[in-house]
Amino acid sequence: MCGIFGYLGYQDAAPLVLAGLERLAYRGYDSAGVAVIDRAGHLEVRKSAGKLANLTTLLEREPLSGSGLGHTRWATHGAPTDANAHPHLDGTGEVVVVHNGIVENYIELKARLTAEGHEFSSATDTEVIPHLIQELLAQGHTLAEAVRLAAAELRGAHAIACMHAGSPDTLVALRIGNAGGVSVGFGSGEMFVASDLPALLPLTTSVAPLAPGEMAVVTPEGCEMLTLDGRRIDTARQTVTMNPVAAAKGGHRHFMLKEIMEQPESAMSCLRGRLAFTPPSAVLGELPFTSEELRSLSRVVFLGMGTTQYATRVGARMTELLARLPASAEDASEYRYREPVVDEATLAVGVSQSGETADTLEAMHLAADGGARTLAITNVAGSQADRGADATLLMHAGPEIGVASTKTFVNSMLVMYLLATHLGHARGALTDDAAAGHVDAAARLPALLGEALELNRGVYERLAAAYVKARRFLFLGRGLLDPIAREGALKLKEISYIHAEGMAAAEMKHGPIALIDRETPVVALVLRDALYEKMLGNISEVKARGGVVIAIATAGDDSIAAQVDDVLWVPPCPPMLAPMLAAVPVQLFAYHTAVHLGNDVDQPRNLAKSVTVE
Ligand code: F6R
């Protein structure tokens, strides 16, 4: 995950920026850079691929003096080279930008700017931003105004910091959606900007985190806050404690909530370097298998447990749909004891956020012994799953402290979506155009997750209070949402201790319908997809028996509200993203119900983060 750090004040920025970037290094990076503007208005950039030590050496050799900003980059568009490292400049060399996010429409913006005579020196999407800003400055806008107007042209979620050689005492920072945080830190005669609180805390405890849609115009004396539509707002300055646990929670009451809220950013980390746009493809460089080997596969077996097993059910369906390969999602604890049929044409994919789940590891060994090629999908590099498999795809979700999996659930589905696209493309089941559609869809996920988190504000608390006395819950879904219904039930029971069952909606008629009454609310996942009408039928069956229905529906579906008791909205989205977006309301519903009950949300009773015994 990229890091941003900026400094304005009486000290030289470069050493402070370097130290700030060091404190952000835990987010992972593959190149780094610093830009500094001196009193005479000279803007200079130093950047270097590889570790921060390379940048430090460069700055020792070629020191810089003045105010400035820096960045640690994790490659998305363009290899991790010096040229692609941030900061990026416009053509005049006067506007400098660091950026966290993916400019989803950068190809069209770059084409337009190129046609207007702009020249680009990197392969990044970010470079269009300083060029857009420069164009607006040339039209007479102030720096703040130019940054704000340029931001309006960008699709996707972004965190941006920008300076201009002509005004070394001004730094403009903004946030669109949830591509990562931006906080302003207040000093005395000096000011800081950083993507993450831990980078600021050794310097100041007085901070103002930007909400999505806000921007800060920072000078050494203070800062002015605006919305991205240009309205001035009060600076929400707050004092944070130096308590490392509280700081690590980033202002959230629980790790689980923090981890739910950072899903746009963790999805972005997962996508970094894995999407190519020209020509479009899912780039899974970690896979050692040749196209020929991928074409020779006869099936894919996904192995996992618990929440992760529900993610694999989504992965198996995606694999079947996109790669036209028979695929199954197996309960690893059952698979390992049932003498399954395995051969050399089987790809066994062990999915485990911890990489240490005993049953999943054993099932992978069993498949390997039977001749299968093995692939691990895990969040922990160096875990047993990673070490034991032929290849690994990391989830890149960042550390997950809450025992209940949330962001690793979404990222594991996302990795399997990329895998299915890659397999489908390599095997000829997806045309170039179809693969391009999936690459575009995947790139939209971080921004859409941000939207999903913004919807239903205040509703979760109301629903938690209204339904907390329920005897039990049923969760119903179809297609790609059947596994999300199961996950919704699991999340609710593991942290609220209220009994819940999740199932394929049609299954309800075969027994569970006997449970329907006023004390058994039904959560129906009824997004606008191919099975929408079928789900409406299931909802009618519940209502006809006097049941209570909470729908999880597509925002804009005005007709659904009249048919159910309550609604939680999900933004309209490409079909393959539906399970990842529908995960958000089921997570937040469980979270707020458990908080309402006063439960220990981060460490629910009887549960552990990794289950290393069978
Ligand atoms: C529930 C949860 C568990 C895990 C399961 C597998 O929130 O986290 O159900 O999904 O124990 O864990 P991993 O993914 O580490 O193999």
Side-chain angles (χ1 to χ4, degrees):
M1 294 188 264
C2 304
I4 292 174
F5 195 92
Y7 175 82
L8 298 177
Y10 52 86
Q11 305 187 56
D12 272 333
L16 289 161
V17 172
L18 268 181
L21 294 180
E22 285 285 0
R23 290 191 290 278
L24 295 169
Y26 72 93
R27 297 157 71 95
Y29 67 97
D30 47 37
S31 55
V34 174
V36 168
I37 306 174
D38 69 15
R39 291 278 116 221
H42 292 125
L43 194 169
E44 295 246 16
V45 176
R46 305 275 184 270
K47 42 194 195 176
S48 179
K51 290 288 147 198
L52 274 164
N54 301 348
L55 182 62
T56 309
T57 312
L58 184 61
L59 279 162
E60 279 164 6
R61 227 174 33 234
E62 300 169 25
L64 293 174
S65 174
S67 51
L69 41 70
H71 187 264
T72 45
R73 171 176 188 252
W74 195 347
T76 47
H77 297 72
T81 59
D82 290 0
N84 290 337
H86 298 211
H88 285 289
L89 300 173
D90 71 313
T92 66
E94 294 191 335
V95 179
V96 63
V97 163
V98 293
H99 165 230
N100 189 6
I102 298 174
V103 182
E104 290 169 12
N105 53 334
Y106 94 99
I107 292 178
E108 61 198 71
L109 289 173
K110 196 166 177 174
R112 192 195 86 201
L113 289 162
T114 306
E116 288 166 6
H118 290 256
E119 285 177 16
F120 292 87
S121 52
S122 79
T124 66
D125 54 334
T126 299
E127 206 185 350
V128 298
I129 305 173
H131 284 261
L132 287 173
I133 295 170
Q134 188 270 325
E135 211 172 49
L136 289 153
L137 286 170
Q139 291 166 20
H141 294 286
T142 62
L143 178 62
E145 200 54 11
V147 174
R148 192 177 74 75
L149 294 173
E153 297 204 44
L154 308 177
R155 271 213 324 261
H158 308 276
I160 294 170
C162 172
M163 291 180 76
H164 183 263
S167 44
D169 279 343
T170 307
L171 186 156
V172 182
L174 64 84
R175 184 170 171 198
I176 305 173
N178 279 297
V182 186
S183 292
V184 177
F186 293 77
S188 172
E190 55 183 354
M191 294 286 286
F192 316 91
V193 169
S195 47
D196 229 357
L197 285 185
L200 292 176
L201 285 183
L203 300 162
T204 178
T205 53
S206 177
V207 301
L210 267 64
E214 290 181 356
M215 67 184 274
V217 183
V218 187
T219 65
E221 283 72 45
C223 99
E224 185 179 84
M225 299 277 246
L226 301 127
T227 60
L228 285 179
D229 48 19
R231 265 182 311 114
R232 214 168 270 181
I233 47 171
D234 288 341
T235 304
R237 191 165 162 176
Q238 47 184 263
T239 304
V240 291
T241 66
M242 289 290 281
N243 172 344
V245 174
K249 282 185 191 161
H252 294 290
R253 187 161 161 201
H254 299 101
F255 281 110
M256 181 178 175
L257 183 59
K258 172 181 180 263
E259 287 154 7
I260 292 172
M261 298 309 282
E262 67 194 15
Q263 289 178 124
E265 199 178 347
S266 57
M268 177 119 41
S269 294
C270 180
L271 291 174
R272 279 207 175 93
R274 287 175 168 161
L275 296 181
F277 290 85
T278 40
S281 64
V283 184
L284 298 177
E286 305 96 317
L287 292 186
F289 313 122
T290 61
S291 299
E292 203 161 292
E293 282 175 311
L294 295 181
R295 277 195 294 273
S296 71
L297 293 174
S298 67
R299 76 187 136 143
V300 182
V301 176
F302 290 93
L303 304 163
M305 296 298 293
T307 287
T308 304
Q309 203 239 330
Y310 296 142
T312 65
R313 288 179 182 230
V314 172
R317 281 166 196 250
M318 288 174 165
T319 305
E320 208 167 71
L321 275 168
L322 307 189
R324 304 310 294 155
L325 253 176
S328 61
E330 306 281 351
D331 176 313
S333 67
E334 288 297 312
Y335 182 85
R336 61 185 283 202
Y337 290 118
R338 69 155 208 254
E339 298 183 29
V341 178
V342 194
D343 58 23
E344 288 76 17
T346 304
L347 177 65
V349 185
V351 187
S352 171
Q353 55 81 23
S354 63
E356 302 293 344
T357 297
D359 283 313
T360 306
L361 293 172
E362 278 310 316
M364 286 172 75
H365 288 153
L366 183 82
D369 288 347
R373 271 162 292 180
T374 55
L375 171 64
I377 296 178
T378 179
N379 199 36
V380 182
S383 60
Q384 292 197 64
D386 176 20
R387 295 197 310 270
D390 295 336
T392 300
L393 292 172
L394 289 174
M395 294 176 191
H396 291 309
E400 189 174 68
I401 312 288
V403 164
S405 299
T406 51
K407 60 180 181 170
T408 56
F409 177 60
V410 169
N411 272 27
S412 48
M413 289 188 276
L414 180 54
V415 174
M416 287 183 271
Y417 182 25
L418 296 179
L419 178 65
T421 305
H422 181 75
L423 283 173
H425 205 190
R427 294 170 56 86
L430 288 179
T431 61
D432 287 352
D433 281 355
H438 290 295
V439 167
D440 280 348
R444 291 184 58 201
L445 180 64
L448 285 168
L449 282 167
E451 281 178 38
L453 289 166
E454 290 300 314
L455 290 170
N456 314 312
R457 278 195 179 265
V459 179
Y460 295 107
E461 292 85 340
R462 181 176 65 72
L463 294 189
Y467 292 104
V468 73
K469 294 263 160 49
R471 187 144 37 130
R472 65 180 89 77
F473 283 80
L474 296 185
F475 284 71
L476 306 180
R478 283 171 175 266
L480 288 169
L481 298 176
D482 161 8
I484 306 305
R486 294 170 199 266
E487 168 61 3
L490 175 56
K491 268 302 77 82
L492 186 67
K493 66 188 153 199
E494 71 179 321
I495 59 171
S496 75
Y497 317 139
I498 299 173
H499 180 243
E501 266 189 72
M503 65 198 76
E507 194 57 39
M508 178 183 66
K509 281 201 279 293
H510 299 273
I513 200 164
L515 296 171
I516 299 294
D517 61 18
R518 297 287 310 164
E519 291 175 39
T520 305
V522 173
V523 180
L525 289 130
V526 57
L527 300 195
R528 280 279 186 181
D529 57 18
L531 297 167
Y532 177 75
E533 307 289 338
K534 304 269 174 211
M535 271 308 298
L536 288 184
N538 297 121
I539 288 173
S540 305
E541 287 158 11
V542 175
K543 294 304 294 175
R545 283 155 187 86
V548 177
V549 176
I550 305 168
I552 293 181
T554 305
D557 180 0
D558 296 333
S559 61
I560 193 75
Q563 305 178 53
V564 298
D565 298 84
D566 280 294
V567 189
L568 289 166
W569 302 111
V570 171
C573 64
M576 293 297 137
L577 299 191
M580 292 168 252
L581 292 165
V584 171
V586 301
Q587 292 167 347
L588 284 170
F589 180 67
Y591 171 80
H592 286 285
T593 305
V595 168
H596 192 90
L597 288 164
N599 293 353
D600 183 349
V601 175
D602 284 333
Q603 287 174 319
R605 68 186 182 208
N606 308 337
L607 289 172
K609 187 69 190 158
S610 59
V611 184
T612 52
V613 289
E614 67 173 295

